[in-house]
Amino acid sequence: MSTRVLIIGLDGGTFDLLLPLAEQGHMPHLAQLLQSGSWGRLESTIPPFTPVAWSSFATGMNPGKHGVLSFEQSDRFHYHERITGFNDARQLKRPLWTLLSEAGKRVAVINVPLSYPPRPVNGIMITGMMTPANATEFTYPTELADSMTKYQIDVDFVREGDSFRRYGMPPKGEMLADIRMVTRQRTAVCQCLIEQEAWDFFMVVYTGTDRVSHFFWDDLEPVWGKRPFSESYTPLYFSQLIDYFRELDHDIGQLVAQAGPLAQVLFMSDHGFGTAPTKRFAVNLWLEQLNLLSAHSSTKLNSLAYWRMTIGRNRFLKKILRRLVPQQAQDRLSQKAEEGIGGSGIEWEKSIAYFVPIYFNVCGIELNRAGEKREGIISSNDVYESLRTQIINAAQQLVDPDTGESIVDLVARREDLFQGPFVAKFPDIILVLKPEYVGGQSLAASELVEFHVPFRSGEHRPDGIFAAIGPHIQQQTDLQNLQLVDVSATVLYLLDVPIPDDFDGRTLQEIIDPSYWKARPPQFQQSPDNTEAIPVNSLYSKDEEAELIERLRSLGYME
């Protein structure tokens, strides 16, 4: 019988949570896997963000080669003032399942984020996150959907009637019930397909682990924090959360058993998790203080923009406002004020650099280059490089005034972090703050570092999970230097498919039985010559784009 590979993806899975749960007996199947196979922390992408990470896994490439750095697309020439569309599966030219299909392997791909629209494969596909709610074609072949009545791709607790929640969430018990229902449904579909379909490669991604960590991280502190209960924890939620992980572990055991003893089983996540940031670093205010950005100055007392800036830059007045005015009203006033001054509060024709949000603590800084931007003023390449050096040096000196410690994990030129044809479309400088800080765009800030109230208690971290077990896998624990892009190369190796020479990932030789590796060294194939950064226009309708924006906002992925 030929080798088969089963991948179980736990979106946002982190060993900071899963290891204690396994050790405490709540996830025995995971514990057995870790004891018998190979495992280690899996380094995610920069940023450690769902669309970027899963795209890098699918292609075996860094973001500079596939071009996905976020869910949405925006207009760089016009300073990202509007969303022009969303990234989708067509941006990924030859994902793993296409390579396997071309090699004659039968595939089943279930619920992988950014796999919509479904593409023809040698097998079946059910698309994942970023599939419109009313999509009529979300499977390949199309008729596969006929056998899945009331199939739900993502949680519905973000909905309130026909619209999406922007402020507040339903009771946590209701949220968790929705997550558990979607998880059970996903497993039931997989159990049917794993038995009914002929397959060499079967992959499913559970997104419930991400939703639980985002919205229940504080409730799980007795696990990841290794602390006993305190009055602030609700035992009911904690008990239900433990039940969720027990059910998930049972589902994992069922799928592994169905795959059979000859299957190579891989577990992975796209990123890890930790406590959400509680401080905000005002990036644009910092650039203004460096004399690299010019803010609009309104002197009209009847102008919302005037009062927003006046109050926002006064710590005492801001504190009073936050106590007296509900957050929803504050947000609406801020939006109206920004509309009144063109959206950003920045005088573009006088500004050299500005902040571009990427993901929470991962910040982009773009320079206002002539020819690239609507009101670009930097024409010399020497000046451009000198300015990048100046900003990077200044960022390396940033400290929190309360602690005296650096707030920066990494700051670099884009080409030092990414390689490929799409790099020129990324922000000129990538600034990665320490995880307790989020980048702030507003110029209405009284200090560079201010208190931040997170929308969700948990947020992404770069260290995901990887584990493997099977006939060709040796036992190795706590492996180091594992990269997300390594997993797809390793899958191709295990299925005897040559690895494209433009892959950035490597085959994880350290997990392979040495005798098997010696007998079957990896093979390689030449990739098609495709060095152009060809953007893919959004396929979503205006209604679908509006729905995606509201869903992503409700989940906390967009402001």
Side-chain angles (χ1 to χ4, degrees), residues 3 7 93 107 111 178 188 195 205 207 229 234 280 353 413 441 502:
T3 296
I7 292 186
K93 303 306 179 188
V107 304
N111 203 50
D178 193 16
E195 291 292 340
V205 174
T207 52
F229 286 112
T234 305
R280 180 190 297 110
R413 289 169 166 81
Q441 190 168 16
D502 59 356

Side-chain angles (χ1 to χ4, degrees), residues 453-465:
V453 180
F455 172 70
R456 312 173 290 195
S457 62
E459 204 45 74
H460 297 184
R461 292 289 190 276
D463 53 333
I465 66 167

